[in-house]
Structures are given as structure tokens and as C-alpha cells.
Amino acid sequence: MPQGQVAAVPADGLTTRQRRNRPLLAVHTGEMKGKSTAAFGMAMRAWNQGWSIAVYQFVKSAKWKVGEENALTALGRLHEQTGEGGPVVWHKMGSGWSWSRKHGEETDHAADAAEGWAQIRRDLAAEAHRFYVLDEFTYPMKWGWVDVDEVVRTLRDRPGNQHVVITGRDAHPALVEAADLVVEMTKVKHPMDAGQKGQRGIEW
């Protein structure tokens, strides 16, 4: 177990063990690549602990497959066959869409977002999983397709020991304020600056 030193010890009445094991709300935001990649890496650690993993992905197309989906669903099958790790479910919410906003009508996207959030809310209330990835969920919050106050309240008041990681650009200030861990990905250099497009095994 890493032996890092905390910056402060709050007067919250909790033991070190209790404080260490509090469920976390994490936000990966910023303009640079790596937000989802980091979240899926955390999901793999959670799987190794035997936790139930749920990914709710808001993407350009419900037909779009990423390497992390294949890897995590394969780990889910391994759990079913051998009992190793934890169960994995992967949801592509609604018809699929992302920050590009190029396909479908605004009302369609809003309805898909509301449907997706309703499922997440039900699963949190039922304590259906131990670790959640809400991939690119900052966008429906930004565009008003889900109620920000309700989202923040639901996440803040979620029962049990459920960790949640939310990814996407332009995280709402209220979400950032409520989170326990916030990372902002910033660009120093990127291959596209030199005219190099995304490649297999790196971007997908």
C-alpha cells in the first residue's frame, strides 16, 4: 500500500482507515486527450479488486467501438468464467452522441441524455455497482440536457460505497466543487500539431 503523506488531517471524527475508504467522486476534464483513458485505467484497478464495474458511455455513435470497451468486456467474461476480478457492464446511452453534435436533432440528443441519466440514477440508488465511469458526461450537463443541480445532488448523496468517475471537457463548476478529485488535462504537445492523425493502438 502506498505510504503517501496527506496534506492535512480534518477534524471529521473518522479513523485513517475510514477516511481512506470513503467513496470518491472524480472528474477528468480539460482539452487534452487522456481523460477517458485514465478513467478506464482506474476501472481496471477496480476490476482487479473484484468490484462490479459499470461504464455509461456518451459517444458519437452507438456503433463506435473503442479498445477499452473490448478489453473491459473481455475482463467481464473472464469473471463470468473463472470468478477472477469483478463483473463488467458497458452501456452506450441512447442512440449515441458526443460533443461533436453533428448527427440527430437537439431534442433527440436531449431525450437520450435524460434516458441515460435516469438509468445511472436508478443504478446509484440501488447500489448496483461499486465503480462507475460516466464517459463524456460533462457535455449533457453543459448543454442543459440534464439538470446540473440534480446531478450534483444525486452524486453527492449517493448511498453506500460507490466510486464515480466523470470525463469530458468543460466540467461544470458545481461538479468540480462537489468532486473529491479533479484533473485537468492540458496540452503541451500533440502529434496533430505536426499533421499526424490518430492511430490504431493509441487513440482506439
Side-chain angles (χ1 to χ4, degrees):
M1 176 66 67
Q3 299 297 316
Q5 298 298 313
V6 298
V9 178
D12 54 13
L14 299 179
T15 66
T16 299
R17 181 181 295 274
Q18 289 171 329
R19 196 176 299 111
R20 167 180 279 169
N21 294 323
R22 285 190 306 115
L24 298 180
L25 171 59
V27 175
H28 297 176
T29 192
E31 66 174 14
M32 186 57 168
K33 70 189 299 293
K35 298 179 286 292
S36 297
T37 304
F40 295 139
M42 292 174 70
M44 294 183 71
R45 288 178 173 175
W47 178 87
N48 187 59
Q49 296 297 323
W51 297 355
S52 175
I53 312 299
V55 178
Y56 307 82
Q57 192 176 34
F58 296 80
V59 296
K60 292 181 182 179
S61 169
K63 297 179 180 178
W64 183 38
K65 288 195 177 294
V66 296
E68 293 93 343
E69 178 182 359
N70 291 335
L72 280 169
T73 53
L75 289 175
R77 291 193 298 272
L78 179 64
H79 172 74
E80 293 173 359
Q81 295 164 4
T82 69
E84 185 174 357
V88 177
V89 294
W90 191 291
H91 302 284
K92 290 184 175 177
M93 310 313 295
S95 61
W97 43 267
S98 82
W99 57 271
S100 64
R101 303 180 78 183
K102 291 181 179 177
H103 303 289
E105 299 295 330
E106 183 90 3
T107 52
D108 296 333
H109 293 326
D112 290 342
E115 174 189 349
W117 169 241
Q119 180 62 53
I120 293 165
R121 195 173 62 241
R122 287 192 294 268
D123 287 349
L124 286 169
E127 300 183 48
H129 307 285
R130 183 76 183 274
F131 190 93
Y132 299 73
V133 177
L134 279 52
D135 192 35
E136 300 202 55
F137 190 59
T138 59
Y139 304 113
M141 296 181 69
K142 176 182 177 181
W143 294 326
W145 294 345
V146 295
D147 184 271
V148 171
D149 291 338
E150 182 195 39
V151 168
V152 170
R153 183 171 59 252
T154 300
L155 294 171
R156 184 191 61 217
D157 298 339
R158 66 193 185 281
N161 198 322
Q162 302 180 96
H163 300 277
V164 180
V165 183
I166 296 176
T167 74
R169 302 183 182 194
D170 303 318
H172 194 282
L175 178 63
V176 170
E177 177 65 25
D180 302 290
L181 185 157
V182 180
V183 174
E184 184 173 20
M185 302 290 188
T186 57
K187 185 180 79 169
V188 177
K189 296 178 71 174
H190 194 291
M192 290 187 69
D193 298 336
Q196 182 176 347
K197 293 186 176 181
Q199 59 178 297
R200 185 186 307 272
I202 303 299
E203 272 75 29
W204 71 89

